Amino acid sequence: MNISKPEIICIGEVLVEIMRPAAGQPLDQPGEFRGPFASGAPAIFATAAARLGLKTGFIGAVGADAFGRLMRNCFEAEGVDASQLQTPSSYATGVAFVAYDDSGGREFVFHIRHAAAGQLAADQIPAAYFENVKWLHISGSTLALNTNSRTACQRALELTLAQGGKISLDPNLRLELMPLDEFRRVLAPFLDSADLLLPTESEAQRLTDETDPRRATQKLAHKPGAIIVLKRGPQGCAIFQDGERLDISGFAVEEIDPTGAGDCFSAAFIAGLQASWPLKQVGRFANAAGALAVTKLGPMEGAPTIQQVEILLTAEIAKNAEQKYH
Ligand code: ATP
Ligand code: MG
């Protein structure tokens, strides 16, 4: 069989997102929605990685319905290999409803665990798919779904390590899916294998009960040489490796929709590591990608191409030079 062999593999939930058009319209009241938008943290990551030019493949599950077609079409249009999208019979494609409150917080109603997204079958993941794998990216939201998802992620992890590939893990705590203490338990074996960890600053605190970021990162990562990146929203990120801390400030942009920033950031960070750039350059590139992601409504709409990231980076250099001159 002729099988694609991507370098970046992402595994996890595929869903469409249906959102309130404006903030302050809670989900417990009738009102308007916008969507469906292609979504799911792993699917956003995969799309962002492909837009940045990485050879990316996706392992997930959709229903034989219109939303499943939307996702397949999306992957095809974006150049994400969707040959490993499973279609379990009698399950609809996953859906998430999202509303924003006036202070920027989000509320979700998830139909994922009991949808196609929650039926990933480990025994349908072919070992040959991993022959060229450099990175496997896993989101904690996938591990929180159910045993099917965790078993499939574990198999993907073992196949990746067997090929000398690396593991990237975004804890992506979604407490609507699982309480914190259980989340910690399911993340633990994956934290042990992670070469790259991408929590937000607050996720690192919640997972370790440590308010000091350095101590939190020391508790989180166990693999020698592991890189831990604390995502800090508009403030950018802090990168930790072997006890060293590198702070990289964010880009000033107008935030329209924060969803997907973390996933675009992660894809860009891996693109930078794949290019063997110094960590400072990798962090700036990822901050720029995350910043661009929030400038458009919809989970994937803002995921930038490499050229769009470069335009923002160049504009920033010009702005700094001008400020220095005046
Ligand atoms: P997600 O909503 O995808 O889960 P996250 O909470 O995981 O996102 P954030 O810290 O919100 O992660 O965003 C990831 C990165 O994107 C940040 O580290 C930063 O580089 C960039 N970013 C996010 N929001 C903004 C913003 N408002 N302005 C500029 N950059 C931003
Ligand atoms: Mg996140």
Side-chain angles (χ1 to χ4, degrees):
M1 188 175 59
N2 190 8
I3 181 166
S4 303
K5 290 169 186 164
E7 293 182 352
I8 311 297
I9 298 181
C10 187
I11 182 166
E13 65 277 13
V14 175
L15 53 119
V16 298
E17 196 166 303
I18 297 177
M19 57 176 66
R20 292 299 200 195
Q25 302 175 325
L27 293 176
D28 57 4
Q29 289 165 27
E32 284 177 21
F33 280 106
R34 263 186 87 164
F37 290 102
S39 192
I44 302 170
F45 169 90
T47 300
R51 280 192 197 168
L52 292 170
L54 299 174
K55 204 171 167 227
T56 307
F58 195 89
I59 303 173
V62 294
D65 53 26
F67 291 167
R69 286 201 301 281
L70 182 150
M71 290 306 307
R72 279 184 190 281
N73 292 343
C74 163
F75 282 145
E76 195 178 323
E78 299 290 350
V80 175
D81 176 70
S83 63
Q84 302 309 314
L85 264 189
Q86 306 173 2
T87 311
S89 59
S90 319
Y91 285 95
T93 301
V95 178
F97 294 90
V98 191
Y100 297 94
D101 60 35
D102 291 318
S103 54
R106 279 176 289 181
E107 184 186 16
F108 293 94
V109 172
F110 289 121
H111 294 261
I112 306 176
R113 191 172 274 144
H114 302 291
Q119 316 309 315
L120 252 181
D123 59 6
Q124 283 185 38
I125 300 175
Y129 197 59
F130 289 75
E131 267 172 30
N132 292 339
V133 68
K134 301 281 187 286
W135 283 96
L136 171 73
H137 181 76
I138 298 176
S139 164
S141 54
T142 311
L143 303 175
L145 282 185
N146 53 25
T147 312
N148 293 333
S149 301
R150 287 191 286 282
T151 311
C153 287
Q154 185 62 38
R155 174 167 161 81
L157 181 144
E158 284 161 13
L159 290 170
T160 300
L161 294 179
Q163 293 294 340
K166 293 187 170 177
I167 308 298
S168 154
L169 178 64
D170 176 351
N172 233 335
L173 295 185
R174 292 285 177 263
L175 300 183
E176 295 89 341
L177 289 171
M178 183 176 260
L180 182 59
D181 53 341
E182 257 183 80
F183 232 119
R184 287 181 177 186
R185 258 202 314 279
V186 302
L187 276 174
F190 292 87
L191 288 173
D192 289 343
S193 303
D195 298 279
L196 174 64
L197 261 173
L198 300 142
T200 62
E201 201 165 33
S202 94
E203 284 171 341
Q205 282 181 11
R206 278 185 288 171
L207 284 169
T208 58
D209 291 328
E210 285 287 355
T211 46
D212 176 66
R214 185 184 303 276
R215 277 206 295 277
T217 57
Q218 282 163 348
K219 273 195 184 175
L220 274 178
H222 304 125
K223 208 162 168 174
I227 299 171
I228 307 106
V229 189
L230 300 188
K231 293 173 286 180
R232 304 181 62 226
Q235 273 96 49
C237 66
I239 306 174
F240 292 79
Q241 188 180 33
D242 299 326
E244 297 288 321
R245 174 177 179 149
L246 189 59
D247 279 281
I248 306 188
S249 50
F251 290 82
V253 292
E254 191 194 352
E255 182 177 298
I256 306 288
D257 181 356
T259 304
D263 309 308
C264 291
F265 178 95
S266 302
F269 204 94
I270 289 177
L273 291 179
Q274 274 297 92
S276 304
W277 293 338
L279 279 184
K280 191 173 169 193
Q281 189 182 351
V282 176
R284 269 180 61 72
F285 185 78
N287 275 347
L292 288 167
V294 306
T295 59
K296 298 220 175 95
L297 183 76
M300 293 184 187
E301 308 353 74
T305 60
I306 218 153
Q307 290 77 11
Q308 288 168 325
V309 179
E310 274 163 7
I311 289 169
L312 180 59
L313 287 169
T314 312
E316 188 74 7
I317 291 167
K319 201 168 87 188
N320 290 342
E322 193 167 316
Q323 275 166 358
K324 238 187 205 163
Y325 184 75
H326 286 292

